[in-house]
Amino acid sequence: MYKIDPTRTDLVEEFYKNPSGPHSLELARVVNLLRLLPMEERIIIVCTKPHAEWTLAKMPKARGDRMEYYDDLVFDDYDAAVRKVFQIRWQAATGVDPG
Amino acid sequence: MKKIMGYSSAWSVMPGDSLDVMVSTYGPDRYRASLVRVICGNDDPDFDVYREEEVAASFAGEYPGREQITISGSYVTIPSSPLVTGMGSFTIQAWVFPTTPEKGAQGLISNWDAASASGFALMIDDNGAAAMRLGDGRGATVEASTGKPLAKRRWHLVSAAYDAAAGTVCISQDFIGPQFEASTSASATLAVGFTPAMGSTQPLLMAGMPATHPAGRPAASHVFNGKLDRPRLVGRALSLADSAALGWDAAPHERETSVIAAWDFAREIGSTTIADASPNGLHGRAVNLPSRAVKGFNWSGREQNWRAAPQEYGAIHFHDDDLYDAEWDPDFTYEIPKDLRSGVYAVRLVAEDDEWYVTFYVRPSRGTTTAKVAFLASTATYMAYSNIQWTWHEHFGEVAECYWTTMQPGEVFLQEHPEYGLSTYDNHSDGSGVRYASRLRPVHQVGPKTAPVWNINNDSHILGWFEAKGIAYDVITDEDLHREGVALLEPYSAVVTGAHPEYYTTPMWDGLKTYLARGGRMAYLGGNGFIWRCAMSEAMPGVVELRRAEDGIRYRDEEPGEYYMEFNGEYGGLWRRLGTSPQALCGVGTVAVGFDVSGYYVRKEGSFDDRAAFIFEGIGDDEVIGDFGFFAGGASGTEIDAVDFALGTPPHTLVLASSEGHSAKTMIVPDEIGLNHSAMGGDQNPKVRADMTFFETPGGGAVFSVGSIAWPGSLPHNGYDNNVSRICENVLRRFVDDTPFTMPAA
């Protein structure tokens, strides 16, 4: 199975420049992998004010469970929230914080 | 985060109708209600096209808020009967197929009154084992358990016999699963120690235990996940052998004179009626849409159609997240004024800093029209999608949608409140597919200002375009077409679809096809249309049923042997697999799906044919069409359709334009391929394209199709002044001209 090379900071830079894509083939593979992390480990984006404010949360394990919010992470730009999700999931997948 | 939600008693109304509006607040003790006409519901500030118009309404004003409680879970209720409450010795049994035996106590068959500890409760206990509870009527209870968990998704005959003479209760579970698996059969006998009080005033419930809703009406608790088949009640204590014989007997009341009730779920499939086959007639009803027409414990596999072998489809599958009607109390009623113009409307509810739109559709009075163009709102599709939660339940959700899970406030509410039910894209909590979706509950993602922009919110780009271009239109809905057929459409010169008319009942299909054959005109301004056959029910209005048979873009699998729909016995699945493909109706059918990048159209030879000249007036020969728009910057995207003459595209169809610029993640749909291969994506596969088509009909009508869900999202670009808008206007102006179209020479 494909594994992310944590030294590929060029892919991180490419994503941060253009989070919504389209991406290079290599970055597309990375994005796919980060989107396939186990559900219970996924950090997701939650819109708190329509079109204006977002935060991050941990996906609850079961239906009906409350969201676990990252209260200290508040974004007024959606792409900034996406970059943070990418950063956190990259670290979860590789053990290395891409910064 | 949600502070207010609501729903209405109907989606389609006409002047003179009454519309009940139900509202719940979550915290605020006041709210305001007003009426708006929805002109364009997409409120993305970067797009700047949102438009609503406040309309004076009799109900407008401030109201006290209160929370209205919703309880999900399907069950059967049988009215209390002296035949039950007067029992001495008795045996209760059913075939049981538990799908979540581990979830805790679940009622199987019970008239248990917890307050007085009277009645009985055949149940699954906290250990997942079959159990029987009895009480002395003064608070003391005894519970006999087999002590062995039932096997998940395996059939067992569960029986409990109370022997008054011996003062004992015997509980048993007989496993009839595959012969290579360990048996979970077990039984136990317990001395009761008192004379059970049978005088429960509660109804007899199956798949739950009697409870009272906070609003005071009867309800169920401890709802069961799984299937029940052949529940029986006998007025004497049967031995284990006699009980097993009774369980296998298709008509026990013909031989066993002590039978009190022998419910036969194979009778009255398609209704809420639960029939007792015994002479006692202890009939009842099913609540909250459990799944009927499902395989019974004795299903042989020799027959796939429940109508051909009803005796093998005698089970009902219950789910703890089934929901038909939330049954909230109305807050107010809106009498639709005689002079209210046809359109899409919403009751705007505001509580503190939160708001909610209860969207509904006003058609002209029956038999009248107020415009030459009818916009056909895809309400069957809106229902099918209502309260969709697939993307955050499904491991492959993000790679399918090409996005990072982003939950809107309403979706967070759904995650935290599963009692609001699911969509036909989801799986129940026990993993089985959801077949029914109801509008008689608050539904997210169906209204203005909803995200992602889908359903009526995407369709309202077309309404906004109508308004910008001064094109008069009436609004009609799928439910109207289902009920009235071609008579609904015939008065109109042209019908305009929404962006995604995906789900069609047979009466809808027949009505539209007949309209076109008789000279009607249709502008299909979307993609992935006319794909799945669904069903609606007179007995249970406000619901679509879906069986996702065989293949197609299926977000959930369908249970083998259950491809025939409950509501009408029709075979479910893709219209294409039924031999009636969308290509034969509108020229194009779905070929690909992808959400990351949208494409644009380039003109093809057909666009230069004289027959198509009116469509391309003002469009340059080399002009790229729709390289802009709300959906990833293009008019061809998300779900796209193309011609297929082998599947029925009329041979004289002109391919006017085809799309380019699709990405590797826009992939061929499963119904287009026999196997996966290494050229599935739009960057390499020439079949990944949308075709814009036009053809005339012998009756003087015509059909124009664009084959892309993204198309309407391009209409508002540049103040509705662009080539997507121009092409649509060219088409509509000609379609409302009553001069017949003529067929091309052969």
Side-chain angles (χ1 to χ4, degrees), chain B residues 556-625:
Chain B
R556 62 166 180 80
D557 204 2
E558 192 55 81
E559 181 71 20
E562 298 180 6
Y563 288 1
Y564 288 83
M565 292 188 283
E566 169 195 344
F567 284 174
N568 56 17
E570 290 181 341
Y571 189 75
L574 296 174
W575 281 102
R576 170 180 178 158
R577 293 283 179 252
L578 297 163
T580 315
S581 69
Q583 286 88 345
L585 186 72
C586 63
V588 294
T590 300
V591 291
V593 170
F595 298 94
D596 64 332
V597 172
S598 289
Y600 49 84
Y601 294 79
V602 295
R603 292 181 65 167
K604 295 295 181 185
E605 184 181 349
S607 73
F608 299 101
D609 191 296
D610 288 345
R611 293 159 53 202
F614 73 95
I615 300 172
F616 286 88
E617 282 178 19
I619 306 292
D621 288 359
D622 298 321
E623 187 170 338
V624 171
I625 299 159

Side-chain angles (χ1 to χ4, degrees), chain B residues 116 182 218 263 272 295 314 404 423 607 611 636 652 687 704:
Chain B
S116 63
W263 291 281
T272 59
K295 295 174 290 185
W404 306 93
S423 78
S607 73
R611 293 159 53 202
S636 172
H652 63 295
K687 292 183 76 174
F704 170 77

Side-chain angles (χ1 to χ4, degrees), chain A residues 15 19-20 22-23 25 28 31-32 34-39 42-51 54 59-60 62-67 69 78 82 85-86 89, chain B residues 1 42-45 321 391-399 402-409 412 414-418 422 427-429 449 451 596-597 664-665 683:
Chain A
F15 185 86
S20 57
H23 300 127
L25 287 176
V31 166
N32 259 12
L34 297 183
R35 287 173 171 165
L36 285 169
L37 292 182
M39 298 292 278
R42 283 192 201 174
I43 304 301
I44 64 162
I45 301 168
V46 175
C47 176
T48 45
K49 293 178 184 169
H51 307 294
W54 297 266
M59 195 65 219
R63 301 179 188 191
D65 285 356
R66 302 279 166 178
M67 312 291 290
Y69 293 103
Y78 180 70
V82 169
V85 167
F86 180 93
R89 291 196 192 184
Chain B
M1 288 190 287
N42 181 352
D43 68 336
D44 187 326
D321 47 15
T391 48
W392 70 84
H393 288 160
E394 166 57 45
H395 181 68
F396 292 94
E398 291 191 354
V399 292
C402 297
Y403 92 138
W404 306 93
T405 299
T406 301
M407 295 175 72
Q408 302 300 317
V412 171
L414 287 179
Q415 158 61 28
E416 296 176 350
H417 294 272
L422 297 155
N427 288 299
H428 287 288
S429 65
K449 297 186 179 178
D596 64 332
V597 172
K665 292 180 178 177
D683 57 338

Side-chain angles (χ1 to χ4, degrees), chain A residues 2 4 8 10-35 86 90, chain B residues 404 665:
Chain A
Y2 180 76
I4 298 173
R8 291 292 303 273
D10 58 311
L11 297 175
V12 177
E13 287 175 22
E14 180 191 344
F15 185 86
Y16 285 174
K17 282 180 186 168
N18 178 19
S20 57
H23 300 127
S24 65
L25 287 176
E26 191 66 17
L27 178 56
R29 297 181 82 185
V30 169
V31 166
N32 259 12
L33 190 145
L34 297 183
R35 287 173 171 165
F86 180 93
W90 174 292
Chain B
W404 306 93
K665 292 180 178 177

Side-chain angles (χ1 to χ4, degrees), chain B residues 168-512:
Chain B
T168 59
V169 60
C170 176
I171 178 75
S172 68
Q173 59 192 49
D174 288 340
F175 172 84
I176 60 161
Q179 294 172 343
F180 305 149
E181 297 180 9
S183 170
T184 50
S185 294
S187 66
T189 300
L190 196 67
V192 175
F194 51 73
T195 299
M198 299 306 297
S200 166
T201 58
Q202 297 287 352
L204 188 77
L205 260 56
M206 300 176 197
M209 297 177 75
T212 302
H213 188 280
R217 58 181 178 269
S221 66
H222 301 87
V223 285
F224 166 65
N225 279 324
K227 294 196 281 190
L228 297 179
D229 194 352
R230 288 189 184 176
R232 272 88 182 264
L233 184 57
V234 180
R236 67 185 181 91
L238 298 175
S239 66
L240 288 177
D242 287 347
S243 184
L246 187 98
W248 286 95
D249 191 339
H253 48 287
E254 299 291 341
R255 283 166 283 281
E256 169 59 61
T257 56
S258 300
V259 167
I260 295 173
W263 291 281
D264 183 355
F265 294 161
R267 300 188 183 189
E268 306 289 346
I269 288 174
S271 78
T272 59
T273 300
I274 297 298
D276 173 14
S278 86
N280 291 325
L282 298 185
H283 309 305
R285 65 185 176 89
V287 178
N288 274 341
L289 275 168
S291 190
R292 301 185 72 168
V294 300
K295 295 174 290 185
F297 76 98
N298 57 343
W299 187 70
S300 66
R302 285 188 287 273
E303 183 53 64
Q304 304 283 312
N305 181 349
W306 60 267
R307 280 190 162 164
Q311 70 280 4
E312 295 186 11
Y313 285 86
I316 293 180
H317 196 147
F318 301 90
H319 307 91
D320 59 10
D321 47 15
D322 279 329
L323 180 65
Y324 171 40
D325 187 341
E327 293 189 310
W328 289 2
D329 293 326
D331 282 47
F332 52 85
T333 299
Y334 180 40
E335 308 291 342
I336 309 299
K338 297 287 184 192
D339 59 350
L340 191 68
R341 64 170 283 189
S342 178
V344 177
Y345 290 82
V347 175
R348 181 172 185 249
L349 304 168
V350 178
E352 297 178 353
D353 58 350
D354 193 23
E355 65 180 1
W356 179 270
Y357 286 77
V358 178
T359 307
F360 60 100
Y361 309 83
V362 177
R363 54 177 286 191
S365 297
R366 186 171 284 108
T368 69
T369 63
T370 62
K372 297 183 88 170
V373 172
F375 176 73
L376 179 55
S378 308
T379 50
T381 301
Y382 306 161
M383 268 189 261
Y385 274 95
S386 57
N387 287 353
I388 184 170
Q389 298 169 50
W390 183 85
T391 48
W392 70 84
H393 288 160
E394 166 57 45
H395 181 68
F396 292 94
E398 291 191 354
V399 292
E401 303 294 316
C402 297
Y403 92 138
W404 306 93
T405 299
T406 301
M407 295 175 72
Q408 302 300 317
E411 294 173 324
V412 171
F413 184 93
L414 287 179
Q415 158 61 28
E416 296 176 350
H417 294 272
E419 68 272 19
Y420 283 72
L422 297 155
S423 78
T424 62
Y425 287 75
D426 295 303
N427 288 299
H428 287 288
S429 65
D430 71 354
S432 59
V434 178
R435 292 168 170 164
Y436 312 93
S438 165
R439 57 169 169 71
L440 295 172
R441 57 179 175 153
V443 291
H444 296 255
Q445 305 117 341
V446 183
K449 297 186 179 178
T450 52
V453 175
W454 206 250
N455 297 322
I456 182 60
N457 211 10
N458 186 16
D459 289 352
S460 72
H461 290 125
I462 299 170
L463 305 181
W465 173 77
F466 283 148
E467 306 267 344
K469 296 298 173 186
I471 297 172
Y473 65 99
D474 284 346
V475 171
I476 54 176
T477 73
D478 284 349
E479 282 186 272
D480 304 320
L481 178 58
H482 174 79
R483 279 192 299 265
E484 299 171 33
V486 67
L488 175 76
L489 306 180
E490 205 146 33
Y492 292 101
S493 298
V495 170
V496 176
T497 73
H500 194 189
E502 182 174 5
Y503 296 94
Y504 260 65
T505 66
T506 300
M508 287 166 58
W509 186 285
D510 290 345
L512 186 56

